[in-house]
Amino acid sequence: MSAHVPLSVLDLAPINRHAAHGRGARETLAASVELARAAERHGYRRVWYAEHHSMPSIASSAPAVLVAHVAAHTSTIRLGAGGVMLPNHAPLTIAEQFGTLAAAYPGRIDLGLGRAPGSDGATSAALRRDPSAADTFPDDVVELQDLLAGTPRPDGVRAVPLALDDDGLPVPLYILGSSLFGARLAAALGLPYAFASHFAPDALEQAMDLYRREFTPSDRPGALVAPHAIAAINVFAAEDDATAQAHLLAARRQRAVALFGRTVRPGVLPGGLGGADLNTADDATFDAAADALLDAGAGVHVDRMTRLAAVGTPHDVVAQLDAFAARVGADELITAHGAPSAAARVRSVELVGAAVSAALAA
């Protein structure tokens, strides 16, 4: 959808820390619908949601349910998990969930798969998964691939409903990763690959090169005949550069608090707060505490994690996206719009989409 490659959206489904008790998640679900509608209107290819658990600031713990909700309020855009953390689940469970989604919304469902737990050890245990489940990720991907295509397990168990598209193909699988492991697995299985460079950019170029170099076409259902590489990038687009930069600063503050705020002892930060109190603080106190964390060393870590970002006016952002895609050899970009409010995130999606349409029409 960009002048050179299609654009998609990663919706991080953030919960507003100021939301009244019990309303935060409801407001986030409504915001996710509006974001997907904006992406649909402006020609983005897909919207994905990532599985996270036990995180009070994120509402995407159940991607399949979120996909179903958003799909019911949109018409054409592809929706999916970016991704399901497969070690948390039996492959049969995911095949049944996404088979059901594909039956309800044919031709619109994607399934991205990650190897990380998306949580801490205690949460993984609460999900009833063995800590070693990540070790069987490659085998679980193959099992899931077979189940989605209608192949029974050796014990005769099969996934129902089985939902194939009009060409007889199952829900498309994508391997997600932030290291060389996922790139190598996607290449070996002939599957598309998406790199989480919006928060873990260090191995991006090496992983993309390895994926293309080692890609092996497969005759398995849903596999590719040629590689398809997706790179993620943070986006902060606004009508003027000052607003975009302000949104970037707000995102840096939120990230610093999320990563480092919980371990701060009471009384250390401005306002006498500890990490547990930050999400209930007023904006001025929150910002001051976040800036203290950034200045104390969190800024180095946050900036390294999020150094891949397109920031500025729509024209400038599109130019940055095109340059990024060309530099890393991406076939598609998935954009994570990180503005601090739901309305600003929707506006960022709209501005970039309109700028791309204008560039293509020129």
Side-chain angles (χ1 to χ4, degrees), residues 11-16 28 31 35 38 235 237 247 336-351:
D11 180 358
L12 299 174
I15 296 175
N16 182 357
T28 296
L35 193 73
V235 172
H247 290 170
H337 296 256
S341 72
R345 290 190 292 275
V346 169
R347 188 60 180 148
S348 182
V349 166
E350 292 174 336
L351 289 171

Side-chain angles (χ1 to χ4, degrees), residues 19-83:
H21 180 70
R23 292 183 53 192
R26 291 198 297 273
E27 292 175 356
T28 296
L29 296 183
S32 288
V33 168
E34 291 309 310
L35 193 73
R37 285 174 169 169
E40 185 173 73
R41 289 194 304 270
H42 288 278
Y44 289 77
R45 176 171 287 186
R46 64 186 97 246
V47 180
W48 280 356
Y49 310 94
E51 177 183 347
H52 294 90
H53 295 281
S54 197
M55 298 182 69
S57 61
I58 297 179
S60 57
S61 57
V65 180
L66 185 51
V67 167
H69 175 68
V70 177
H73 292 85
T74 52
S75 301
T76 58
I77 194 165
R78 297 192 68 90
L79 301 164

